[in-house]
């Protein structure tokens, strides 16, 4: 059994992995402080993603327009080194860049940063964490002088008031949500406030939901600060050790003195706003937990500081059960920050703008040079690539063609670049398709190193399976590249332990109370042997050496004046909706891992655009049908839905789908390249948009064990099933002969066991192909979206041979005697909606009763809000 760390979100749960005859069993690590044994469904399904299918297993080079050719590591790195050297010699070090990822381990990040800033001599290394939490970094640095997170998960449990601002914790960080839910159940006096334009699943726990207008957060928090000043909630003793309080209050008063006006501007009820103000003012133990809804904004840094201001003003920080907590989206966003993975940082929280700090880092690395000006942040980096100012980019473990704003321009930028190097575990992503050189990297289960989660806890990721082919760790690839560039003596690492040791010594270098004090101090972890490193237990920093005095709180706190900024692109008659983007419960990022797990495909199988019913009506689209979502920057196609979560004037689209999983669903292509002026983080949650019908003449789905011809569709989505792949699809062209067309699309031979049924007048066609009574493929076509549930059919692919009743039921798409479970609600135990409704009708009128009967909701609990909604929806109907 191997103890390691989940590779998904910033909660950073510990997992235990056990080899089995048919794969790997994954369960939560009860000894890990982040999760105490819990896992969400994504973590629990990790075993399903441990496949070599689709992996990049050899270095490849590709002449433009030609198919990639396998080459040796030596040849590939020779080509990369020659390309970088040529461009640096001709155009200088600012003409090259690294774009890295919160998926990298701290050791990988450290080596990449050292190589770029100390040896190439540019700070052009930025990370996809820029897209996720750089506003939090900017806010922390402005308020604390350092990127310090002052709160642990235990503080969240101990608080009496927990404010969730711009965070759908229930779906995006489920294990922390479950810890919060359990704490609230144990102490019902704990209050939870959710600040979010959408009524998300997280509101299930809320005593108060403030559905604010997009990007009105700063005004709301400024209003709170005005109220705190007015009622005398300021902490005199604490404020004496801070600066900026008067200016912050003055700036807040200038725009938020009138509570009724603020409530109207934020779109919330005045009474609800007053209650929020009162609860904050009168509760000592307050934790404000914030995430991408705060960070991903043109005013993200100010939102963060407005939140921190309220905590500093009341002194509610640095003690148990209180403080602001930034929850990161990625497993190692924090570790990347620690080793300088952002273009405006040095490693170990040393400052790029400080000559003393630069000298410290250069000395530690024995580097020939050190970058002395900030590099290009993510959005600017790809714009510079488009303009030709940057000519070579090396992308590591990320997929910017899907995830960056204005993603079509990013694609064009890569097509124009002189040299594109991509190191990735997967062979086929939207970004690897544009690489000149592809380098196979290891991934979760093969990697060896450390990650830091959102509460500053450093954990080991340990390998437990052999990497396929010639895949190598990112630090190994970078070190071999450095050797080709002539810097081998400085990158002669043989194990991740040596890199970690070098990093910990840098955190201690010059870190004295009277020299260059930093809270990030890992001197107590220096000098570990490889065996000690391998056995390292989860530990929260700082970890100073025993004889070293280390700071545990910032020397000085600053309140920052945060006048509201306006978003540069307003909605208008042409673009009447605000497009918001975010995650769904069971997928993660661009689906390159979660998209492989059939368990995770059941909950949300296709991209949707969630609309208020009146906006759907005004847009001329019907709920349940396909629609085109458009902005000035791009467009996609998604199925309309109306969850009841949306305010008027807003639309929500998930971020996960890409050109590998859908014909037309990259939401990044729609997002404006607008960034926060302080942090450079893009405003992913605020782009003017419109929704128009996407007319089709037929819709359907196909499930098949074999490849399917999709050339005759106008829209499709790929859904991974167990033993088969499903394609949801739609089209305009109606074949003259549906039967022949379906056989052609599926590749059905003439003599196949092919059963079909059709009502040509109604446009309905259904067919199935069996091989020795085993289901090979099935297809369902209709003019409308009124198709059978997919779950029962999907389960038939797990059988060696269908029974006679099952064969008879195939074209109905459901068992003849009933028993179709319906769409998946609980992915952990595969419990469908119909099963839940039956149990509720049978008397299970609480989530606990449902769990006791069906187990649904009894593992990660992410589906409990939906179960509670089903119970609530059914009860009035039954009573009527
Ligand atoms: Fe992984 Fe889920 Fe834990 Fe996040 S909450 S680290 S996705 S198990």
């Amino acid at each position: 059994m191997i103890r390691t760390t989940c590779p998904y979100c910033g909660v950073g749960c510990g997992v235990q992995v056990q080899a089995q005859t048919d794969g790997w069993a994954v369960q939560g690590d009860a000894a890990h402080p982040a999760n105490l044994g819990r896992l969400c469904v994504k973590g629990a399904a990790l075993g399903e993603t441990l496949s070599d299918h689709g992996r990049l297993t050899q270095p490849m080079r590709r002449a433009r327009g030609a198919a990639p050719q396998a080459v040796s590591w030596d040849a590939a790195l020779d080509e990369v080194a020659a390309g970088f050297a040529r461009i640096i010699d001709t155009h200088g070090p600012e003409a090259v860049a690294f774009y890295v990822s919160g998926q990298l381990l701290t050791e990988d990040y450290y080596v990449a940063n050292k190589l770029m800033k100390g040896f190439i001599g540019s700070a052009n290394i930025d990370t996809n964490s820029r897209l996720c939490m750089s506003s939090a970094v900017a806010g922390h640095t402005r308020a604390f002088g350092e990127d310090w997170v002052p709160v642990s998960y235990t503080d969240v449990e101990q608080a009496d008031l927990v404010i969730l601002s711009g965070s759908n914790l229930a779906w995006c960080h489920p294990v922390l949500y479950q810890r919060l839910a359990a704490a609230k159940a144990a102490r019902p006096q704990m209050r939870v406030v959710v600040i979010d334009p959408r009524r998300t699943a997280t509101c299930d726990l809320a005593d108060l939901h403030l559905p604010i207008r997009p990007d009105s957060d700063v005004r709301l928090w400024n209003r709170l600060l005005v109220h705190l000043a007015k009622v005398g909630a300021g902490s005199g003793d604490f404020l004496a050790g801070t600066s900026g309080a008067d200016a912050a209050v003055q700036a807040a008063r200038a725009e938020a003195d009138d509570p009724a006006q603020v409530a109207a501007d934020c779109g919330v009820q005045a009474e609800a706003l007053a209650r929020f103000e009162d609860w904050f003012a009168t509760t000592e133990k307050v934790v404000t937990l914030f995430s991408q809804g705060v960070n991903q904004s043109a005013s993200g840094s100010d939102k963060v500081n407005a939140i921190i201001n309220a905590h500093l003003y009341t002194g509610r920080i640095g003690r148990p059960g209180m403080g602001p907590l930034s929850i990161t989206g990625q497993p190692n966003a924090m570790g990347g920050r620690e080793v300088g993975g952002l273009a405006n940082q040095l490693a170990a929280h040393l400052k790029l703008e400080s000559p003393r700090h630069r000298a410290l880092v250069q000395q530690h690395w024995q580097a020939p040079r050190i970058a002395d000006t900030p590099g290009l942040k993510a959005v600017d980096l790809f714009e510079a690539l488009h303009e030709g100012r940057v000519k070579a980019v090396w992308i590591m473990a990320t997929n910017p063609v899907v995830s960056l704003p204005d993603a079509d321009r990013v694609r064009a930028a890569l097509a124009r670049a002189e040299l594109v190097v991509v190191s990735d575990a997967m062979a086929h992503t939207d970004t690897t398709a544009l690489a000149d050189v592809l380098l196979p990297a290891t991934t979760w289960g093969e990697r060896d190193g450390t990650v830091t989660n959102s509460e500053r806890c450093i954990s080991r990721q340990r390998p437990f399976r052999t990497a396929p082919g010639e895949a190598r760790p990112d630090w190994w690839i970078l070190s071999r590249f450095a050797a080709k560039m002539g810097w081998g003596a400085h990158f002669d690492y043989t194990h991740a332990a040596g890199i970690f040791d070098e990093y910990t010594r840098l955190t201690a270098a010059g870190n004295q109370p009277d020299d260059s004090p930093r809270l990030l101090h890992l001197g107590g972890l220096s000098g570990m042997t490889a065996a000690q490193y391998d056995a390292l237990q989860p530990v929260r920093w700082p970890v100073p050496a025993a004889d070293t005095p280390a700071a545990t709180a910032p020397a000085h706190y600053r309140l920052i004046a945060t006048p509201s900024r306006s978003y540069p692109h307003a909605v208008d008659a042409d673009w009447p909706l605000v497009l918001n983007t975010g995650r769904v419960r069971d997928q993660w990022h661009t689906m390159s891992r979660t998209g492989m797990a059939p368990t995770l495909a059941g909950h949300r199988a296709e991209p949707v655009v969630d609309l208020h019913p009146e906006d759907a009506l005004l847009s001329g689209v019907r709920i349940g049908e396909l629609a085109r979502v458009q902005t000035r920057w791009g467009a996609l196609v998604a199925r309309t839905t109306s969850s009841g979560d949306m305010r008027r004037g807003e639309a929500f689209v998930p971020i996960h789908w890409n050109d590998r999983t859908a014909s037309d669903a990259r939401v990044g292509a729609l997002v404006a390249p607008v960034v926060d002026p302080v942090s450079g983080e893009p405003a992913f949650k605020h782009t003017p948009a419109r929704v128009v019908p996407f007319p089709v003449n037929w819709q359907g789905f196909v499930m098949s064990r074999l490849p399917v011809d999709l050339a005759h569709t106008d829209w499709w989505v790929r859904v991974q099933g167990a033993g088969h792949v499903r394609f949801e699809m739609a089209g305009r062209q109606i074949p003259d002969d549906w039967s022949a067309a379906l056989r052609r699309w599926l590749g059905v031979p003439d003599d196949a066991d092919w059963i079909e049924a059709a009502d040509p007048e109604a446009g309905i066609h259904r067919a199935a192909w069996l091989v020795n009574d085993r289901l090979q493929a099935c297809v369902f076509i209709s003019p409308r979206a009124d198709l059978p549930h997919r779950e029962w059919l999907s389960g038939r692919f797990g059988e060696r041979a269908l029974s006679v009743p099952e064969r008879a039921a195939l074209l109905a798409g459901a068992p003849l005697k009933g028993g179709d479970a319906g769409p998946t609600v609980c992915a952990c135990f595969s419990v469908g909606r119909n099963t839940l409704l039956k149990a509720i009708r049978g008397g299970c009128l609480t989530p606990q009763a449902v769990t006791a009967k069906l187990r649904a909701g009894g593992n990660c609990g992410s589906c409990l809000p939906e179960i509670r909604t089903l119970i609530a929806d059914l009860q009035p109907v039954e009573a009527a």
Side-chain angles (χ1 to χ4, degrees):
M1 188 271 294
I2 298 291
R3 292 174 66 203
T4 182
T5 313
C6 176
Y8 296 127
C9 81
V11 179
C13 297
V15 300
Q16 297 181 345
V17 184
Q18 183 79 50
Q20 297 193 316
T21 48
D22 58 347
W24 303 91
V26 174
Q27 62 179 36
D29 182 352
H32 197 287
N35 56 320
L36 308 167
R38 294 177 176 91
L39 285 183
C40 77
V41 65
K42 292 189 287 288
L46 273 166
E48 293 179 36
T49 69
L50 294 168
S51 159
D52 292 344
H53 180 73
R55 288 291 299 273
L56 180 63
T57 57
Q58 280 184 291
M60 315 278 275
R61 65 178 301 278
R62 171 171 35 210
R64 296 275 163 113
Q69 303 287 328
V71 293
S72 68
W73 267 112
D74 226 25
L77 290 174
D78 277 342
E79 179 159 341
V80 177
F84 267 69
R86 175 176 46 78
I87 291 168
I88 292 167
D89 284 349
T90 312
H91 303 283
E94 304 301 330
V96 300
F98 290 168
Y99 185 61
V100 301
S101 161
Q103 280 289 296
L104 294 183
L105 304 189
T106 299
E107 292 75 3
D108 303 317
Y109 250 127
Y110 178 86
V111 174
N113 187 51
K114 174 179 171 180
L115 182 52
M116 181 53 80
K117 291 188 181 135
F119 289 80
I120 291 175
S122 161
N124 279 348
I125 170 170
D126 214 44
T127 159
N128 64 3
S129 299
R130 175 75 60 193
L131 318 181
C132 156
M133 50 76 226
S134 56
S135 293
V137 176
H140 292 158
T141 307
R142 290 199 297 189
F144 309 138
E146 186 174 343
D147 179 19
W148 177 60
V149 175
V151 171
S152 73
Y153 301 160
T154 308
D155 290 316
V156 177
E157 293 169 322
Q158 292 176 344
D160 293 319
L161 173 63
V162 175
I163 301 162
L164 299 159
S165 189
S167 165
N168 184 5
L169 201 71
W171 279 22
C172 301
H173 302 96
V175 165
L176 185 54
Y177 177 80
Q178 287 310 314
R179 285 184 65 165
L180 174 62
K184 185 164 164 56
R187 290 191 301 116
Q189 70 273 21
M190 174 197 270
R191 286 174 172 145
V192 174
V193 177
V194 173
I195 303 173
D196 196 315
R198 292 190 300 147
R199 183 172 183 80
T200 63
T202 301
C203 293
D204 194 47
L205 211 57
D207 298 283
L208 177 65
H209 172 214
L210 296 172
I212 60 169
R213 284 208 174 87
D215 277 344
S216 62
D217 314 47
V218 170
R219 206 153 156 72
L220 184 96
W221 285 94
N222 277 343
R223 172 61 217 158
L224 175 64
L225 189 60
V226 172
H227 177 78
L228 295 171
K230 186 176 170 196
V231 300
S235 170
D237 289 348
F238 185 85
L239 280 174
T242 69
S243 59
D246 290 345
V249 172
Q250 206 175 350
R253 275 206 188 105
E255 66 171 45
D257 210 28
D258 178 353
Q261 187 63 50
V262 173
D265 291 347
C266 293
V268 299
Q269 293 183 344
E271 189 273 334
L273 177 59
R275 200 176 332 155
F276 168 61
E277 292 171 3
D278 181 54
W279 286 359
F280 197 109
T282 58
T283 310
E284 183 68 4
K285 290 187 172 181
V286 184
V287 166
T288 304
L289 195 153
F290 60 95
S291 195
Q292 277 81 345
V294 164
N295 295 329
Q296 292 178 333
S297 162
S299 52
S301 303
D302 286 346
K303 289 184 188 180
V304 172
N305 283 107
I307 290 169
I308 295 174
N309 283 349
H311 281 272
L312 293 181
Y313 192 78
T314 51
R316 290 176 191 147
I317 192 165
R319 290 179 287 148
M322 59 185 80
L325 173 59
S326 154
I327 295 288
T328 63
Q330 296 204 75
N332 198 31
M334 179 82 93
R337 284 143 70 169
E338 291 161 5
V339 295
L342 293 163
N344 50 327
Q345 299 178 329
L346 286 177
H349 285 192
L350 289 156
K351 293 187 168 53
L352 193 64
E353 62 274 19
S354 161
R356 164 90 184 108
H357 286 192
R358 290 200 301 272
L360 247 171
V361 176
Q362 188 172 5
Q363 160 81 15
H364 190 75
W365 287 342
Q366 292 292 294
R369 51 190 75 86
I370 189 78
D372 58 5
T373 51
L376 293 163
K377 295 171 182 153
V379 171
D380 294 339
L381 190 161
F382 283 90
E383 184 56 29
L385 199 66
H386 197 280
E387 292 173 6
R389 287 181 283 123
V390 169
K391 298 177 186 303
V393 65
W394 185 341
I395 298 165
M396 301 172 210
T398 183
N399 199 356
V401 173
V402 179
S403 52
L404 272 172
D406 202 3
D408 287 344
R409 191 166 171 87
V410 171
R411 176 179 273 162
L414 290 174
R416 288 169 163 222
E418 279 188 32
L419 176 62
V420 177
V421 182
V422 179
S423 0
D424 206 297
M426 305 308 293
H428 304 291
T429 73
D430 295 39
T431 299
T432 60
L434 292 155
D436 299 300
V437 182
L438 274 164
L439 304 173
T442 49
T443 185
W444 188 77
E446 304 150 17
R447 284 181 172 158
D448 193 3
T450 56
V451 290
T452 309
N453 73 2
S454 300
E455 59 166 354
R456 309 194 316 260
C457 181
I458 298 170
S459 301
R460 291 276 284 113
Q461 266 199 19
R462 297 184 175 89
F464 55 86
R465 71 192 294 266
T466 307
E470 298 180 35
R472 296 285 184 271
D474 287 278
W475 64 260
W476 183 96
I477 301 170
L478 287 158
S479 299
R480 294 305 181 278
F481 165 78
K484 300 270 184 199
M485 297 288 285
W487 304 311
H490 303 275
F491 292 86
D492 56 350
Y493 306 113
T494 56
H495 189 277
I499 304 167
F500 187 76
D501 187 61
E502 184 180 312
Y503 159 52
T504 62
R505 291 179 195 279
L506 181 57
T507 67
N511 193 345
Q512 304 292 332
D514 56 352
D515 186 357
S516 299
R518 286 101 67 196
L519 289 159
L520 175 58
H521 195 316
L522 302 178
L525 299 176
S526 298
M528 285 191 291
T529 63
Q532 287 169 324
Y533 172 78
D534 192 41
L536 180 67
Q537 297 302 304
V539 58
R540 286 187 82 213
W541 61 261
V543 195
D547 57 352
T548 307
T552 53
H556 187 75
Y557 294 97
R558 289 173 200 81
L559 287 87
I560 305 293
T562 55
S564 292
R565 300 172 199 263
S566 57
Y567 180 81
H569 302 287
V571 293
D572 56 26
D574 287 336
W575 309 100
L577 302 170
V578 173
L579 175 66
N580 183 359
T581 69
R583 302 176 182 207
V584 300
R585 194 189 77 189
D586 294 353
Q587 295 295 343
W588 198 77
H589 279 199
T590 60
M591 299 172 78
S592 52
R593 181 177 287 278
T594 49
M596 293 157 62
T599 298
L600 302 178
H603 185 243
R604 293 285 186 272
E606 60 182 9
V608 294
V609 50
D610 196 0
L611 294 167
H612 189 282
E614 289 177 31
D615 288 322
L617 198 65
L618 288 171
S619 302
V621 298
R622 288 174 50 170
I623 298 302
E625 298 293 343
L626 296 173
R628 185 177 287 282
V629 186
Q630 299 172 323
T631 71
R632 291 185 184 91
W633 292 268
L636 58 72
V637 178
R639 194 170 297 285
T640 53
T641 183
S642 186
S643 64
D645 298 343
M646 303 302 297
R647 291 169 50 99
R648 271 289 319 273
E650 290 159 32
F652 176 83
V653 176
I655 61 172
H656 310 287
W657 280 268
N658 54 73
D659 284 356
R660 313 284 139 181
T661 51
S663 57
D664 193 2
R666 283 162 53 245
V667 75
L670 280 68
V671 175
V674 171
V675 301
D676 177 275
V678 182
S679 70
E681 179 154 353
F684 278 104
K685 297 183 175 293
H686 196 148
T687 303
R690 66 182 169 222
V691 177
V692 299
F694 183 76
V696 291
N697 292 318
W698 60 266
Q699 303 191 46
F701 67 89
V702 54
M703 298 173 169
S704 178
R705 297 183 192 275
L706 300 174
V708 177
D709 179 1
L710 297 166
H712 305 280
T713 65
D714 290 295
W715 170 87
W716 58 263
V717 174
R718 184 186 190 281
V719 186
Q720 184 64 51
H724 68 283
V725 171
R726 180 173 110 222
F727 288 96
E728 299 289 331
M729 51 194 198
R732 300 201 175 100
Q733 183 76 33
I734 298 178
D736 294 337
D737 181 344
W738 266 108
S739 179
L742 295 179
R743 292 181 78 121
R744 204 167 51 246
W745 296 358
L746 294 173
V748 182
D750 290 344
D751 59 349
D753 182 0
W754 174 254
I755 54 175
E756 62 183 311
D759 180 348
E761 292 291 307
I764 291 170
H765 301 267
R766 299 181 171 192
W769 173 20
L770 294 98
V771 176
N772 297 328
D773 291 328
R774 186 171 183 244
L775 184 57
Q776 185 79 347
C778 59
V779 55
F780 291 73
I781 302 289
S782 169
R784 297 167 298 280
D786 57 346
L787 296 154
H789 295 312
R790 285 55 159 173
E791 283 69 16
W792 181 80
L793 286 163
S794 178
R796 306 290 66 76
F797 282 87
E799 298 182 8
R800 282 176 182 277
L802 298 190
S803 65
V804 173
E806 284 175 330
R807 182 184 171 105
L810 261 187
L811 299 188
L816 297 178
K817 290 186 178 174
D820 178 11
T824 303
V825 175
C826 172
C828 293
F829 297 115
S830 299
V831 183
R833 189 170 187 275
N834 293 349
T835 309
L836 287 165
L837 291 174
K838 189 175 171 195
I840 295 165
R841 287 198 182 97
C844 297
L845 298 179
T846 64
Q848 293 82 356
V850 170
T851 301
K853 185 170 177 65
L854 301 172
R855 300 174 76 199
N859 184 36
C860 76
S862 302
C863 60
L864 284 172
E866 282 170 271
I867 293 174
R868 207 165 278 131
T869 302
L870 286 179
I871 293 169
D873 285 352
L874 208 57
Q875 278 175 330
V877 174
E878 297 293 295

